[in-house]
């Protein structure tokens, strides 16, 4: 294996600086004691973090997003695991078409999905409903789960299932005792990835949320278009911390590169 | 002075010496194998010759020219990688032509040489295929053709047969030797398979933990292994522990009270010794008519020969007997074992490396 | 197990998801297409009559054409920059040793998981008139530069957001490349550069192409970045749709633009698939 030369390393350093710069700035500014967006030079202050809790709408949006992400990720698992089993293990007419349908939200711009959901919800009188917001998020995050479940299923050793079968296990027992534990990393990884994607989603949500169901990213976007103050930095810093935490868990458990890069 | 000379060649990674003071001189047209288990430094040595790894110390001389610090793309050596490293996006012919293209060989000349070379490796009909459409053996031939078409002064082979299945491996061994002999290129092959090294090399270099421990012709390596490691690594070997009784050359090795005469050995009285004896050097006799009596505990039929495990007073011994077409003694039979004293090797146990033959 | 049951099993397994996706992907998209043909009246709203007027308006009006043109320009520039930065970076990453390799791979692709709003906000702080970049420029003796609310700001932030989408596919194709292949080219007499050009690049080109398509598609429909860094004046396709829906309340026109964005995306994806298939046929025979 050849080593990288000095020019390559200098280039790499610049890229890393470029990637980290906005995130670092947010984390620094969040601790400013000033009233303006400035990097704290003399002292650090938590005043802007306290400020968040004076804004009940931010807290409400945060709780709302948490519920939304938890529910939609969980429902996505319930849909994607059986669908993944059918697509990977059976040959039936329309299989490829269904697979494409399940993965289509990945190639349809969220903008278009947002518009489409808004139209549907308006027609059936579902605008502003939290339930329908969850459903729309399920559509967006299911492909992520399905992809990981499919990768886990095709990557697992089928002979383990056959062995269980020859030892007298029923189909359901084989799934419960052999298949499910073997694809569990894929399922858990999929759930976390779905959670994060739902929690961060802005473009689609901004079309289908109502004042009562505003998610945190939508709230932040609205706030940032009106005014920019260090409280935004504090909220952003909290979100970065949350994501970094989730990332560490994902990486420790499964290797983040595997989940994000995907197998093959 | 050989055609290719390595002088105290060493590679140190941190505080780990992967290769230590390798001295080797290879004559023009010779086929030399570097043999050893994984991690013995044989591949690192090859990569240093190829220019893919920078040596920590020592020099590499090719035909009187010092190439120690030359870049791999100017050395002009032919290398066959373990993974073959074929260019997946190029056809067989394009793969083989690549080296000539880099040398700016004219189109017509290039096509002619590629064609000749593909003929030599019996791939003329597959010139327009892509690597992924070829079998393992065919890919390997492409790799050899690609390395040889540039008429390299030295051909380097890194475990060339390890990715092939057993039957194909044997076939390709002889094929490799045929091609090498017809081109006459000086060749160095790295392998961990002793059978491979013995069958096709002019000389074999055994490496252990970064050092060369023996350089010899294959049959000499087999008959006179320099170290205990080599005797167990090269071929099958019975090993027994015993004690030397009697003073000097007149003494004999004893195991459990049985005394075993041997030639050209001399140790002080009471020295613990290791005895080694090849299974094919032992003869199966009728009970009571050999050096030791024993009982057959296992018998395996291996096609060209039978392999027995015989329990004797000196310990369990493996015995191989050529298949002459009739069934020999069976499990449970009482037999005797015989051998010539010259075939029994005796070494003092305290002295390990360096007790050369 | 009876044969009838085994034929039914896959359908039972996929049906909940399949029904949901049919009802919430296909149906709403069809409804949106229909919506784009509805007549809109500023006084009374959406009427139950159909027209092609919105499509005509969008392709003839300079205002909309300007926004489409800007969207294309910004997306193309973002794609180009992502390729210029992402491809060498993926190559450098692939040649690193662990643990640095995994650490920096996480650093480069990890921000993918941080909300786009957060990243856009970070850039608006960096590029603002009193932001860090301008402070640095002033300290160095240059005057301040207006960056925020320009196309430059949008492109910078988009490159930041899209970079992982370029690095990932290129990295994946580099992973599949046998490292000995590059060494083989050197030993055959190729220089570093020739080996890169003739041996490494052709292997990576498919990864680069798929990365470029993803980056282009996502940039062309990006919403948060132009929304926060482009300001009210510098609109792109997505922010235009949002305004039509939420401020102008001209839903049919908004739907028209959304459909155009979707169709453009699908055309690019189909063209890409054609290309991949053609290439596969060529190398597989």
């Amino acid at each position: 294996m050849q080593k990288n030369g000095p020019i390559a390393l200098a280039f790499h350093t610049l890229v890393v600086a470029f990637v980290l710069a906005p995130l670092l700035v947010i984390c620094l500014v969040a601790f400013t004691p000033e009233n303006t967006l400035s990097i704290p030079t003399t002292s650090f202050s938590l005043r802007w973090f306290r400020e968040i809790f004076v804004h009940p709408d931010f807290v409400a949006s945060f709780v709302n997003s948490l519920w939304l992400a938890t529910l939609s990720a969980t429902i996505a698992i319930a849909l994607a695991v059986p669908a993944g089993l059918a697509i990977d293990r059976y040959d039936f007419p329309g299989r490829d078409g269904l697979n494409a349908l399940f993965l289509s939200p990945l190639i349809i711009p969220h903008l278009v999905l947002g518009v489409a959901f808004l139209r549907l919800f308006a027609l059936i009188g579902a605008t502003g409903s939290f339930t329908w917001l969850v459903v729309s998020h399920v559509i967006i995050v299911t492909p992520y789960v399905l992809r990981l479940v499919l990768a886990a299923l095709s990557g697992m050793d089928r002979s383990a299932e056959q062995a269980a079968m020859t030892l007298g296990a029923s189909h359901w027992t084989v799934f419960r005792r052999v298949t499910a534990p073997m694809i569990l990393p894929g399922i858990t990884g999929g759930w976390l990835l779905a959670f994060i994607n739902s929690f961060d989603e802005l473009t689609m949500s901004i079309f289908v949320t109502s004042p009562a169901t505003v998610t945190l990213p939508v709230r932040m976007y609205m706030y940032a278009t009106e005014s920019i103050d260090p409280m935004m930095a504090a909220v952003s810093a909290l979100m970065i911390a949350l994501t970094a935490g989730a990332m560490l868990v994902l990486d420790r458990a499964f290797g983040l590169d595997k989940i994000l890069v995907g197998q093959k | 002075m050989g055609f290719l000379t390595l002088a105290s060649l060493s590679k140190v990674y941190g505080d780990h010496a992967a290769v230590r003071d390798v001295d080797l001189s290879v004559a023009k047209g010779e086929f030399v194998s570097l043999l050893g288990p994984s991690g013995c430094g044989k591949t690192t040595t090859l990569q240093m010759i190829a220019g893919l790894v920078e040596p920590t110390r020592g020099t590499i001389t090719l035909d009187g020219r010092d190439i120690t610090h030359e870049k791999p793309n100017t050395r002009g050596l032919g290398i066959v990688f373990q993974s073959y490293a074929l260019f997946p996006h190029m056809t067989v012919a394009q793969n083989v032509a690549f080296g000539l293209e880099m040398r700016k060989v004219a189109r017509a000349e290039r096509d002619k040489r590629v064609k000749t070379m593909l003929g030599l490796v019996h791939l003329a009909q597959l010139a327009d295929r892509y690597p992924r459409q070829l079998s393992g053996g065919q890919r390997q031939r492409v790799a050899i053709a690609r390395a040889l078409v540039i008429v390299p002064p030295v051909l380097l082979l890194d475990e060339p047969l390890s990715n092939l299945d057993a039957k194909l491996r044997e076939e390709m061994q002889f094929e490799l030797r045929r091609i090498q002999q017809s081109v006459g290129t000086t060749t160095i092959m790295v392998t961990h398979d002793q059978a491979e090294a013995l069958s096709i090399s002019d000389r074999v270099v055994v490496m252990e933990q970064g050092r060369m421990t023996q350089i010899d012709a294959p049959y000499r390596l087999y008959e006179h292994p320099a170290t205990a490691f080599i005797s167990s690594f090269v071929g099958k070997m019975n090993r027994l522990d015993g004690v030397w009784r009697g003073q000097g050359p007149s003494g004999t090795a004893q195991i459990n009270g049985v005394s075993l005469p041997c030639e050209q050995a001399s140790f002080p009285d009471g020295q613990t010794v290791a005895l080694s004896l090849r299974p094919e050097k032992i003869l199966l006799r009728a009970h009571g008519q050999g050096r030791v009596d024993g009982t057959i505990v296992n018998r395996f039929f291996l096609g060209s020969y039978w392999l027995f495990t015989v329990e004797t007073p000196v310990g369990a011994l493996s015995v191989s007997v050529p298949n002459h077409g009739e069934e020999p003694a069976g499990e449970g039979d009482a037999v005797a074992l015989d051998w010539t004293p010259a075939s029994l090797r005796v070494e003092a146990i305290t002295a390990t490396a360096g007790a050369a033959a | 197990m009876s044969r009838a049951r085994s034929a039914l099993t896959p359908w039972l397994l996929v049906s909940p998801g399949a029904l949901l996706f049919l009802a919430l992907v296909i149906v709403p998209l069809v409804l949106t297409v229909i919506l784009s043909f509805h007549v809109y009246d500023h006084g009374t709203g959406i009427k139950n009559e159909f027209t092609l007027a919105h499509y005509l308006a969008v392709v003839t009006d300079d205002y909309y054409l300007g926004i489409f043109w800007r969207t294309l320009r910004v997306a193309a520039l973002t794609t180009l920059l992502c390729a210029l930065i992402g491809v060498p970076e993926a190559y450098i990453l692939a040649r690193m040793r662990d643990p640095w390799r995994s650490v920096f791979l996480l650093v480069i692709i990890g921000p993918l998981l941080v909300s786009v709003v957060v990243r856009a906000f970070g850039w608006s702080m960096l590029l603002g008139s009193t932001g860090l970049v301008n402070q640095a420029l002033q300290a160095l003796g240059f005057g301040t530069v207006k960056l925020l609310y320009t196309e430059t700001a949008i492109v910078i932030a988009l490159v930041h957001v899209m970079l992982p989408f370029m690095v990932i596919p290129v990295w994946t194709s580099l992973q599949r490349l046998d490292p000995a292949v590059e060494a083989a080219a050197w030993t055959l007499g190729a220089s570093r550069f020739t080996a890169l050009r003739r041996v490494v690049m052709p292997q990576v080109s498919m990864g680069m192409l798929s990365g470029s398509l993803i980056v282009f598609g996502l940039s062309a429909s990006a919403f948060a970045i132009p929304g926060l860094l482009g300001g009210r004046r510098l609109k792109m396709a997505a922010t235009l749709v949002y305004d039509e829906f939420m401020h102008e309340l001209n839903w049919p026109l908004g739907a028209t633009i959304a459909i155009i964005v979707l169709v453009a995306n699908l055309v690019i994806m189909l063209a890409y698939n054609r290309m991949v298939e053609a290439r596969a046929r060529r190398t597989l025979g």
Side-chain angles (χ1 to χ4, degrees):
Chain A
M1 185 63 63
Q2 289 286 311
K3 277 188 268 189
N4 288 304
I7 299 171
L9 289 178
F11 177 84
H12 170 72
T13 312
L14 284 177
V15 173
V16 169
F18 170 72
V19 166
L20 292 181
L23 305 179
L24 282 177
V25 165
I26 287 170
C27 293
L28 287 174
V29 171
F31 290 97
T32 188
E34 311 291 329
N35 281 325
T36 53
L37 292 169
S38 58
I39 292 185
T41 43
T42 47
S43 62
F44 287 94
S45 156
L46 291 174
R47 63 176 281 207
W48 293 108
F49 288 96
R50 282 194 295 273
E51 183 76 18
I52 303 172
F53 296 96
V54 183
H55 285 76
D57 46 351
F58 267 88
V59 180
S61 289
F62 175 75
V63 173
N64 189 41
S65 278
L66 223 51
W67 273 111
L68 173 62
T70 310
L71 286 171
S72 54
T74 309
I75 297 171
I77 297 282
L79 293 176
V81 172
L85 274 172
I87 289 169
D88 186 68
R89 295 295 153 87
Y90 296 90
D91 199 2
F92 54 98
R95 189 182 70 158
D96 293 341
L98 276 174
N99 192 23
L101 175 65
F102 281 125
L103 296 179
S104 64
L106 290 176
I107 58 163
I108 301 175
H110 282 198
L111 165 79
V112 178
L113 283 174
V115 168
F117 288 141
L118 176 58
R119 178 58 175 158
L120 176 74
F121 294 171
L123 284 178
I124 62 171
T127 39
S129 142
F130 182 71
T131 313
W132 285 98
L133 180 62
V134 171
V135 172
S136 67
H137 272 236
V138 168
I139 298 290
I140 282 192
V141 298
T142 300
Y144 293 101
V145 183
L146 184 65
R147 264 210 313 210
L148 283 188
V149 168
L150 281 177
L153 280 173
S154 63
M156 77 174 264
D157 181 8
R158 291 290 299 276
S159 50
E161 287 180 347
Q162 289 157 355
M165 212 86 89
T166 61
L167 292 169
S170 69
H171 271 267
W172 170 239
T173 310
V174 168
F175 175 76
R176 206 165 42 84
R177 299 283 304 277
V178 181
T179 318
M182 282 176 86
I183 62 168
L184 194 62
I187 296 177
T188 338
W191 190 88
L192 274 168
L193 200 60
F195 181 93
I196 294 172
N197 270 294
S198 163
F199 193 83
D200 287 347
E201 213 293 322
L202 168 75
T203 313
M204 189 274 288
S205 307
I206 204 162
F207 284 92
V208 290
T209 51
S210 67
T213 59
V214 165
T215 63
L216 188 56
V218 174
R219 174 80 64 199
M220 287 170 73
Y221 179 85
M222 304 285 202
Y223 192 86
T225 49
E226 299 299 323
S227 63
I228 290 185
D229 64 28
M231 192 190 80
M232 261 299 285
V235 178
S236 299
L238 282 181
M239 282 191 73
I240 292 172
L242 202 78
T243 313
M247 247 172 75
L248 274 183
V249 173
L250 270 172
D251 191 44
R252 275 290 146 80
F254 322 105
L256 192 61
D257 49 338
K258 280 205 199 72
I259 289 176
L260 287 182
V261 175
Q263 292 92 336
K264 280 193 90 163
Chain B
M1 197 67 178
F3 182 63
L4 176 75
T5 313
L6 312 182
S8 41
L9 198 64
S10 307
K11 179 65 191 180
V12 182
Y13 291 110
D15 52 1
H16 165 72
V19 175
R20 282 184 276 186
D21 295 316
V22 165
D23 290 292
L24 178 66
S25 177
V26 181
K28 198 161 187 167
E30 203 179 10
F31 193 125
V32 173
S33 291
L34 301 182
L35 173 67
S38 59
C40 73
K42 56 190 192 306
T43 298
T44 308
T45 307
L46 191 85
Q47 286 178 329
M48 284 194 280
I49 302 173
L52 298 171
V53 167
E54 179 87 355
T56 312
R57 267 196 318 279
T59 55
I60 305 165
T61 323
L62 175 67
D63 205 8
R65 182 166 61 104
D66 185 348
I67 58 163
T68 316
H69 301 290
E70 220 172 283
K71 290 226 164 77
N73 52 8
T74 53
R75 289 190 190 203
L77 306 183
I79 296 154
V80 174
F81 292 82
Q82 184 171 7
S83 60
Y84 311 143
L86 298 181
F87 307 131
H89 58 297
M90 297 184 197
T91 63
V92 168
Q94 286 167 342
N95 261 281
V96 176
F98 188 84
L100 297 174
E101 231 178 291
M102 293 300 119
R103 281 164 181 68
K104 307 212 162 34
V105 174
R107 185 80 198 221
E109 163 83 0
R110 203 159 77 200
D111 290 348
K112 206 182 82 199
R113 279 166 71 178
V114 168
K115 210 170 161 207
T116 317
M117 191 45 73
L118 286 178
L120 180 72
V121 298
H122 305 312
L123 282 180
Q125 303 85 353
L126 302 179
D128 295 324
R129 296 268 184 98
Y130 283 92
R132 74 185 76 175
Q133 300 167 287
L134 302 180
S135 71
Q138 290 166 339
R139 283 180 206 183
Q140 151 131 83
R141 287 164 199 262
V142 178
I144 295 171
R146 187 178 68 178
L148 281 178
V149 77
I150 59 173
V151 200
V154 176
L155 177 66
L156 302 173
L157 306 166
D158 185 6
E159 301 267 8
L161 306 171
S162 63
N163 284 334
L164 303 176
D165 61 50
K167 182 138 175 57
L168 195 58
R169 186 153 57 215
E170 205 177 293
E171 249 172 65
M172 279 308 292
Q173 255 176 50
F174 302 117
E175 179 72 3
L176 200 58
R177 182 60 160 168
R178 176 189 70 80
I179 296 169
Q180 190 260 340
Q181 280 175 334
S182 68
V183 187
T185 309
T186 312
T187 303
I188 298 179
M189 174 173 84
V190 155
T191 179
H192 65 270
D193 181 346
Q194 46 97 14
E196 203 170 289
L198 296 185
S199 63
I200 56 177
S201 319
D202 294 315
R203 281 193 300 158
V204 177
V205 177
V206 183
M207 292 190 70
E208 295 172 52
Q209 294 171 347
R211 290 181 188 283
M212 293 190 316
T213 47
Q214 190 170 6
I215 311 178
D216 246 323
Y219 77 92
R220 295 212 17 107
L221 193 74
Y222 188 84
E223 293 299 328
H224 305 283
T227 67
F229 170 78
I230 297 176
S231 66
S232 63
F233 191 66
V234 177
K236 283 197 183 67
M237 186 67 96
N238 287 301
R239 292 190 67 83
L240 302 166
D241 289 338
V243 183
W244 191 259
R245 288 293 166 218
Q247 209 44 249
S250 59
T252 57
Q254 287 196 358
I255 305 170
N256 298 335
V258 182
S259 133
L260 304 171
C262 42
E263 291 179 355
Q264 295 174 340
S266 169
F267 300 98
D269 186 43
Q271 169 76 53
T272 51
V273 288
L275 295 91
S276 33
L277 185 59
R278 296 257 181 224
E280 73 276 12
K281 299 282 168 70
I282 306 178
L283 301 167
L284 215 55
R285 292 275 156 80
H287 190 70
Q289 291 178 8
R291 285 180 192 278
V292 289
D293 287 331
T295 316
I296 295 173
V297 279
N298 274 318
R299 188 184 75 174
F300 302 101
F301 178 54
L302 295 167
S304 61
Y305 66 96
W306 296 84
L307 188 67
F308 298 92
T309 309
V310 181
E311 194 58 54
T312 71
V314 300
L317 292 173
S318 290
V319 180
S320 72
V321 176
N323 173 17
H324 294 304
E326 63 248 30
E327 193 177 344
E331 285 171 11
D333 290 359
V335 292
L337 303 181
D338 195 13
W339 58 84
T340 60
S343 53
L344 185 68
R345 283 171 45 82
V346 185
E347 289 159 302
I349 279 184
T350 44
T352 47
Chain C
M1 187 170 81
S2 75
R3 188 184 297 180
R5 195 190 138 190
S6 71
L8 211 60
T9 313
W11 292 106
L12 288 174
L13 289 171
V14 287
S15 53
L19 290 176
L20 184 74
F21 270 68
L22 282 173
L24 279 137
V25 177
I26 305 299
V27 172
L29 286 178
V30 171
L31 288 175
T32 311
V33 173
I34 297 171
L35 176 63
S36 70
F37 294 109
H38 272 285
V39 171
Y40 176 77
D41 183 278
H42 283 279
T44 51
I46 304 166
K47 284 185 159 174
N48 237 348
E49 294 158 35
F50 296 94
T51 172
L52 279 171
H54 307 301
Y55 286 93
L56 280 173
V58 166
V59 296
T60 50
D61 191 324
D62 280 347
Y63 174 71
Y64 298 115
L65 284 179
I67 290 174
F68 277 123
W69 178 233
R70 174 183 300 130
T71 304
L72 283 180
R73 193 170 55 222
V74 166
L77 198 56
T78 303
T79 310
L80 181 70
L81 287 172
C82 276
L84 288 178
I85 300 173
V87 175
E89 178 61 20
Y91 180 70
I92 293 169
L93 279 176
R95 283 154 52 104
M96 282 189 174
R97 281 172 218 278
D98 268 329
W100 297 117
R101 196 147 101 132
S102 333
V103 168
F104 283 117
L105 187 66
L106 278 194
V107 168
I108 302 289
I109 64 178
L112 206 60
L113 298 180
V114 177
S115 179
V116 182
V117 186
V118 170
R119 285 182 281 171
F121 175 67
W123 280 109
S124 75
M125 281 199 293
L126 277 171
L127 301 175
S129 54
T130 57
L132 228 61
V133 172
N134 267 320
Q135 281 178 23
L137 284 175
Q138 264 182 325
L140 289 170
F142 304 98
T144 54
V145 183
K146 180 176 160 57
L147 286 169
L148 196 57
Y149 309 131
T150 64
E151 276 186 33
T152 315
I154 298 178
V155 170
I156 291 176
L158 275 178
V159 168
H160 184 257
V161 172
M162 300 302 165
L163 194 58
F165 294 105
M166 180 64 80
V167 172
I168 289 172
V170 175
W171 161 267
T172 313
S173 32
L174 280 170
Q175 288 304 99
R176 267 181 251 162
L177 181 67
D178 178 0
V181 163
E182 204 182 344
W186 298 336
T187 64
L188 290 167
S191 66
R192 272 282 170 89
F193 179 73
T194 309
L196 270 179
R197 189 172 57 84
R198 293 283 310 272
V199 175
V200 179
M201 281 309 282
Q203 311 285 321
V204 172
S205 61
M206 282 324 271
M208 210 171 96
L209 186 65
S210 75
S212 301
L213 282 168
I214 297 169
V215 170
F216 187 86
L218 288 175
S219 305
S221 61
F223 171 72
I225 300 285
L228 287 176
L229 296 170
R232 298 216 189 279
R233 262 184 346 97
L234 273 187
K235 281 192 194 144
M236 281 175 61
T239 43
L240 178 63
V241 171
Y242 181 73
D243 283 352
E244 290 301 335
F245 267 84
M246 298 303 175
H247 298 141
E248 307 292 328
L249 298 180
N250 189 346
W251 284 22
L253 184 63
T256 304
I257 302 163
I259 293 299
I260 291 173
V261 170
L262 176 66
V263 169
N265 247 284
L266 294 182
V267 166
I268 293 173
M269 291 291 163
L270 280 179
Y272 167 67
N273 276 345
R274 279 281 168 79
M275 227 149 107
V276 172
E277 274 163 26
R279 189 185 155 107
R281 256 199 305 279
R282 193 155 56 78
T283 46
L284 282 170

